[in-house]
Amino acid sequence: VFQGRILARRFLGQETRYEVEVKTPYRHRFPLVAREYLWVPNTCGCPPLREGGEYLLMARRHVNYERTLNRILLQDDGYARPWTPREDRLVREAARHC
């Protein structure tokens, strides 16, 4: 779970790749750097992430069977909401209990 700002969007094959500036990592099981690529397995614009927007994102790490692909994946049922101070407060409170 992290707060990120969408810098760019690019369609690659049947997937969408977002360049994201990681602003605040809340809970992560793998290291995040200041800029990451976030992959969405479709090109329909779901979830609707706009360039320049800040979002609270819950994504997972995807490593393929051969271990040649390691990326951050936001699945169709993933969590992506516009970031607000309220969202920040809710995530911080939940992190204390989880």
Side-chain angles (χ1 to χ4, degrees):
V1 179
F2 64 95
Q3 173 194 356
R5 184 167 62 97
I6 305 299
L7 301 175
R9 177 178 65 183
R10 184 170 181 194
F11 299 110
L12 297 169
Q14 297 298 314
E15 298 180 306
T16 306
R17 183 185 77 185
Y18 292 95
E19 184 177 351
V20 179
E21 175 186 359
V22 177
K23 303 249 223 181
T24 307
Y26 293 103
R27 184 171 173 99
H28 50 92
R29 297 175 191 229
F30 50 91
L32 294 172
V33 294
R35 288 198 178 181
E36 293 279 2
Y37 286 125
L38 177 71
W39 292 84
V40 178
N42 63 53
T43 57
C44 70
C46 306
L49 304 176
R50 64 175 176 78
E51 291 182 39
E54 289 191 20
Y55 296 90
L56 182 65
L57 302 161
M58 184 184 304
R60 69 178 189 92
R61 182 175 165 205
H62 173 252
V63 179
N64 68 350
Y65 181 73
E66 295 86 15
R67 297 202 173 277
T68 58
L69 186 65
N70 183 353
R71 61 190 186 163
I72 299 173
L73 182 67
L74 181 62
Q75 296 176 302
D76 294 334
D77 60 350
Y79 188 83
R81 298 194 63 167
W83 183 89
T84 64
R86 179 180 182 275
E87 291 288 332
D88 179 62
R89 182 176 41 81
L90 292 173
V91 170
R92 288 185 192 277
E93 288 174 8
R96 280 189 248 143
H97 301 293
C98 297

